[in-house]
Amino acid sequence: MKYEDDYYDPEDSPVAVTFQQSDEQNDNVLRPKYLEDFQGQAKIKENLQVFINAARARGEALDHTFLVGPPGLGKTTLAAIIANEMHSEIRMTSAPALDKPKDLAGILTNVTENSIFFIDEIHRLKPALEEMLYIAMEDYEIDWVIGQGPSARTMRVPLPKFTLIGATTKAGSVAMPLSERFGITCHLEYYNPEELRDIIMRSSKLLDTTIDNDAALMLAGCSRGTPRIANRLLKRLRDFAFDLRSDTISTKIVRHGLERMGIDPNGLERMDRQILRTIIEFYNGGPVGADTLSISVGEAVETIEDYYEPYLIQKGYLKRTKSGRCVTQKAYELLNIPSRGINNVDQGILF
Ligand code: ADP
């Protein structure tokens, strides 16, 4: 697909786009298509605009770009925006979908000059594929083995100049030789409530629903700094407004809806509270390892590490130490449990 006057729409993509949340499947309408519609992340936007303008003026592919940050902050959206701004074709996949070297070689040998190849969850790429990618990124070639056994020989296949955009929630798990080959690195941060309010106001227009400014700010405060969560909650509150025969989502509807969904005014969900309660009641406040905690609360380790923990840590309810997770005094206060003295203060924070 070539994009000249038109923009890239993920729905038109010939390659499957995989989202972590099923609620996202009909969410394409909410995805900003150009940098000017992308709220927040001001520094990233300004720098990207400079790099894109320069690459376009030179008629070259943008340098390989590494997008790092927790789920739902806009990495996939940014990749599609870069493609639109560059007027480039984009192919999207995620590392777990690439099983064998031939899967990756098949895509790489089909990329076109100056186009974009997006790999989500790049920290999950298999080592053999990573090595193929090093050469593809640096020399725009791949080594391809023809035949088997003693008669096997390696052929170097040239590739067009393309841009790899790799996204990850775990920059620390990406091998150094891979991360070093990205010329541009963007660390996405959690959004502040005002930025999220603007995203909510924009989304409500696109969803053809109205929300009061105060209600949008209240919802923003409960959205864990994450646009994906803000959009998902907005859709549910639209349902509650419909149920209550209200044309507008007011602060009253936000309060009512969030309470019905088990979300407290800090944006904590039932599972957040269950994690804290389990650490207190079963492990005396911690430390407890991620695997043990995962079994105790019945939630996948990755979900605890990527979704629940960062917010609990950011809000000061949890800390990570060398020997595991420990709750803080604030967690005891939240759950109204007497602390009996916290014994995990000497563990040395892990960051
Ligand atoms: P990630 O790839 O980091 O998990 P996505 O790019 O899939 O996150 O973003 C999740 C949703 O949040 C998208 O559907 C998009 O509508 C919305 N979104 C993300 N970032 C922004 C932003 N800066 N402005 C407006 N909407 C955003």
Side-chain angles (χ1 to χ4, degrees):
M1 245 185 319
K2 280 261 176 271
Y3 305 93
E4 272 141 26
D5 297 321
D6 208 352
Y7 55 75
Y8 166 74
D9 186 328
E11 268 178 337
D12 298 334
S13 171
V15 181
V17 185
T18 321
F19 299 111
Q20 288 124 331
Q21 308 287 339
S22 61
D23 205 24
E24 292 293 300
Q25 266 146 19
N26 60 356
D27 203 28
N28 286 336
V29 68
L30 300 182
R31 280 178 190 271
K33 307 260 183 315
Y34 290 97
L35 274 178
E36 65 170 359
D37 304 321
F38 190 84
Q39 321 274 328
Q41 315 289 345
K43 283 219 173 67
I44 291 179
K45 268 171 51 173
E46 281 167 26
N47 288 341
L48 274 179
Q49 191 70 71
V50 171
F51 305 145
I52 289 169
N53 289 348
R56 283 197 61 193
R58 288 192 297 261
E60 289 175 0
L62 186 71
D63 214 345
H64 302 305
T65 302
F66 194 29
L67 303 177
V68 180
L73 295 199
K75 299 181 292 300
T76 310
T77 307
L78 260 187
I81 286 176
I82 290 171
N84 288 335
E85 297 278 356
M86 289 293 296
H87 295 190
S88 298
E89 182 179 282
I90 182 167
R91 284 171 176 251
M92 295 181 140
T93 191
S94 76
L98 300 169
D99 188 31
K100 301 211 163 60
K102 75 170 169 32
D103 299 333
L104 182 57
I107 298 179
L108 288 172
T109 49
N110 276 299
V111 295
T112 52
E113 193 75 21
N114 292 356
S115 69
I116 287 167
F117 176 32
F118 173 71
I119 306 183
D120 201 7
E121 297 187 72
I122 200 159
H123 59 278
R124 294 176 66 184
L125 206 61
K126 295 190 170 150
L129 280 72
E130 252 178 31
E131 273 171 37
M132 180 184 279
L133 211 50
Y134 298 158
I135 305 172
M137 289 169 81
E138 203 149 279
D139 303 328
Y140 299 97
E141 288 178 336
I142 51 169
D143 284 334
W144 193 237
V145 183
I146 303 169
Q148 279 181 338
S151 65
R153 61 195 173 85
T154 307
M155 207 174 86
R156 284 231 143 172
V157 182
L159 303 174
K161 292 263 165 58
F162 70 101
T163 302
L164 179 78
I165 302 185
T168 183
T169 51
K170 290 194 171 84
S173 306
V174 176
M176 196 64 101
L178 180 57
S179 58
E180 279 173 347
R181 280 172 169 80
F182 288 101
I184 301 169
T185 297
C186 306
H187 285 269
L188 280 80
E189 307 281 347
Y190 285 111
Y191 293 69
N192 68 38
E194 286 72 29
E195 289 165 345
L196 277 182
R197 181 212 33 217
D198 293 346
I199 292 174
I200 292 167
M201 296 305 271
R202 174 181 175 274
S203 297
S204 69
K205 278 201 198 89
L206 294 169
L207 291 171
D208 210 12
T209 185
T210 35
I211 179 164
D212 292 345
N213 189 57
D214 290 351
L217 200 53
M218 184 184 273
L219 174 57
C222 305
S223 298
R224 306 175 84 99
T226 306
R228 174 179 289 142
I229 297 173
N231 283 342
R232 194 191 310 146
L233 292 177
L234 176 66
K235 287 183 190 168
R236 297 295 75 81
L237 292 174
R238 181 177 62 158
D239 297 341
F240 281 110
F242 173 79
D243 188 51
L244 296 170
R245 292 177 178 69
S246 171
D247 295 336
T248 304
I249 302 171
S250 59
T251 48
K252 204 170 142 208
I253 289 179
V254 174
R255 248 184 247 114
H256 168 79
L258 292 179
E259 201 185 317
R260 289 276 296 269
M261 291 186 283
I263 298 168
D264 77 10
N266 288 315
L268 296 186
E269 301 170 13
R270 281 195 191 94
M271 182 51 77
D272 292 302
R273 292 189 290 273
Q274 193 180 331
I275 288 170
L276 298 177
R277 188 175 289 281
T278 302
I279 299 176
I280 292 174
E281 290 183 350
F282 290 88
Y283 304 100
N284 195 25
V288 56
D291 291 326
T292 314
L293 187 59
S294 150
I295 296 165
S296 305
V297 299
E299 186 59 88
V301 178
E302 295 75 35
T303 313
I304 293 180
E305 285 182 345
D306 287 357
Y307 182 79
Y308 293 105
E309 252 182 25
Y311 191 66
L312 287 172
I313 290 170
Q314 196 205 21
K315 286 280 165 188
Y317 295 109
L318 193 68
K319 61 187 183 186
R320 276 168 79 177
T321 71
K322 283 180 196 142
S323 34
R325 284 84 183 134
C326 300
V327 296
T328 62
Q329 179 65 33
K330 207 174 158 191
Y332 284 89
E333 284 160 16
L334 176 84
L335 299 172
N336 249 330
I337 302 176
S339 76
R340 285 180 280 139
I342 294 184
N343 59 3
N344 57 34
V345 281
D346 291 324
Q347 310 285 342
I349 305 290
L350 239 199
F351 301 100

